[in-house]
Amino acid sequence: MKQAIYLAALALVSQTLVAQKKWSEDSKGSFNVVVNKGGQTLGYSPESGVKILTVDGFAFKDLNKNGKLDKFEDWRLSADVRARDLASKLSIEEIAGLMLYSAHQMIPGRNPGFMGGTYGGKPFKEGETDPSDLTDQQKKFLSEDNLRHVLITSVQSPEIAAKWNNKLQAFCETLGKGIPANNSSDPRHGTRAKAEYDAGAGGEISMWPSSLGMAASFDPALVEKFGHIAATEYRALGITTALSPQVDIATEPRWARFSGTFGESPMLSAAMAAAYCEGFQTSTGKKEIADGWGYGSVNAMVKHWPGGGSGEAGRDAHYGYGKYAVYPGKNFEAGMIPFTEGAFKLRGKTNMASALMPYYTISWNQDIKYHENVGNNYNKYIITDLLRNKYHYDGVVCTDWLVTGDHKAIDNFINGKPWGVENLSIAERHYKILMAGVDQFGGNNDAKPVLEAYQMGVKEFGEAKMRARMEQSAVRLLKNIFRTGLFENPYLDPQQTKAIVGKPEFMTAGYEAQLKSIVMLKNKSNALPLAGRKTVFVPKRFFPANKSLFGPEEPAKTDYPVNIEQVKKYFNVTDNPDEADAALVFIQNPNAGAAMGGGYDKEDVKKGGNGYIPISLQYGSYTATDARETSIAGGDPLETFTNRTYKGKTVTSANYTDAELVADTKNKMKGKPVIVTVNITNPMVFSEIEKNASAILLSFGVQDQAIFDIISGKAQPSALLPMQMPADMSTVEKQAEDVPFDMNCYKDSEGHVYNFAFGMNWKGVIKDARVTRFRK
């Protein structure tokens, strides 16, 4: 007979072993654990009002508190059955909440405003505010707007993240049907360049090269290993969705998001996409619940459909001046290969990436059915006809962030991005997105416009059809929460979190991947490795003033570009070039507008221009004589013209002094080796520095120490270029934004061509099987 039993202490009920566990001194942080022999372990808050039901000798959580076991509460059933049952029971208001994805949340919310928050109406105060508490804003969007998808940015520590997660989940358990929060993160495994790697020590989180660096390994198995480790650390932090991988093929070398991709090869990107999703999503052994999903799984939200790497002239669609993706090479379909041949064709049991994000861009003139030039998130042809119908994708589709907001400035990063539908109201934009086939609204904490969109649909199609459309999205969203085990136990042990995140073996794996990502382009007269205790000269570098997207401007400075104390562990260091055996020069690739906001300048407008300027991949002054006379696409409500040409305009890289530093160091070394390491995010023109360098290494966001291991010979370079290096800016201007491998590549003084898949080791040019595998 079915009956509800509230478990407040240790008990043994038939096959079910119950244990109580507390990790916090206050009730907000307490949770009970129920271990089902031969079944799922349950976790619940004693303060939430949730009781335990025993049925057939097993324990189940009575999440909706109705005293009986509903299908969605029965962990023996499939995720699909449970999701459909729960979706059918939800109110439209609850479904609307599921369709929200929060704005960026810091833990703690240190500053009121963007990414911040208040606590009891007061700002966070160190020493007084508990950093693991929920902010007022979080409580509001969880309770009033029924939001259950939370985007986490920075966390004070792994332990604080775990405690915050537990309070979040306990709060959710008190509400409605007890739907747990599905927390997410953008990539968070980058490096701190000057941090020291110690094989026996742990860290805050394992550190890996950029996606472009992992692509340089040409090794999908490495990426799958990363995915598994990253997923393990994510789950320990309470994160169950990764807003990654970014698999746009980087066919436009000037694009600001180039470094977040797996390079310009469609097939390499597809292989890496599949490996990434396999690693993140697959649970094995005791962690598996069913079909490869379980307590070790993290949903992979692959992005950006149908490919966002062909912005005209390299401009990025976070801004109104970069809203257009263009296809002069008629190669629109190639951008979908990393999805259709990678993320949608996993060899493992999870089958395909469980979520997907379209990009902001208007895919110019690619809608061949409805003939709309609107952002991909709004485009029914791109979402329903292509993604849903042609490629049979039935996972969650979530918009990129802020696509429904109002467009108020042509050059503001946090401006709304309703490209092509600027004339619609916010509610009308939600409705258009919903009817295009999208399930979720990124960066929106407010259910009101979703509910208004629903009413628009009721007026047009009737309540039954709109209810069915909302439930369709609810089922997709709920499946990703059920499959990761959150309905059974969303709680964490902070001490286990502390032990897992950044543990030594994970730090080692990340460091080894960094070593495998470093490319050697040149090694004249075997200048490398510098074996033995050589004496080196490390010139200081000028760092131009820099303003991050969200932080204050960093003033210009001149300083050592690397951790000089680490250099001393490998070499003797001198400030006198005459005493040195070799020089170690560390620079960045040219940054002439290649930051996220590149390609537009208000000063040009003040001078009577249209605001559009070149994005240059060279250090010195560049005049765009080969640019288009007339842009392919154009037009914005805030502009009175459609031609976005920058032909004849001149720019100079903000870090032009890097090229001068290399030349100056060569003169000072008087014929002795000059070893140049370029930390690189985009292709670049090497003619300004190559002839002044004895050896050239490329770093894709790795720790300084990894570079020193290569330079000293402790490790050997093995990586290959995941992109072409242009011979000059003329070839950059003439290449097609949507076509890979279409530039004339730079040929160095040794006769080597810096083409895709080129790289060297100590023996010379690498000619293994990787070189030809991904050229298509």
Side-chain angles (χ1 to χ4, degrees), residues 601-612 641 649:
D601 187 2
K602 286 182 178 179
E603 293 301 314
D604 183 69
V605 177
K606 292 177 182 178
K607 295 174 183 177
N610 63 0
Y612 291 85
F641 54 88
K649 294 181 182 179

Side-chain angles (χ1 to χ4, degrees), residues 408-471:
K408 300 177 181 179
I410 198 76
D411 62 345
N412 190 309
F413 180 78
I414 58 174
N415 175 64
K417 308 165 202 317
W419 308 145
V421 295
E422 292 92 343
N423 61 314
L424 299 182
S425 70
I426 290 177
E428 288 170 335
R429 291 172 198 154
H430 281 76
Y431 182 53
K432 187 171 181 61
I433 286 172
L434 184 65
M435 301 316 289
V438 175
D439 304 299
Q440 200 165 30
F441 303 94
N444 182 8
N445 300 352
D446 183 6
K448 183 180 177 181
V450 183
L451 294 172
E452 290 178 5
Y454 171 75
Q455 291 300 330
M456 291 176 187
V458 170
K459 185 176 181 179
E460 183 173 359
F461 297 109
E463 189 168 0
K465 183 171 181 178
M466 278 310 295
R467 169 79 200 192
R469 172 65 191 91
M470 298 287 277
E471 280 194 32

Side-chain angles (χ1 to χ4, degrees), residues 307-366:
S310 62
E312 185 162 15
R315 296 185 295 267
D316 183 69
H318 278 84
Y319 301 88
Y321 58 74
K323 66 170 71 171
Y324 297 107
V326 295
Y327 305 89
K330 304 185 187 308
N331 204 34
F332 175 65
E333 289 77 12
M336 293 180 271
I337 289 174
F339 299 88
T340 61
E341 301 303 316
F344 297 173
K345 287 187 177 180
L346 307 186
R347 70 179 188 281
K349 291 190 285 185
T350 65
N351 292 326
M352 63 172 60
S354 64
L356 174 147
M357 182 187 294
Y359 203 41
Y360 299 115
T361 45
I362 294 172
S363 297
W364 186 251
N365 289 343
Q366 298 307 306

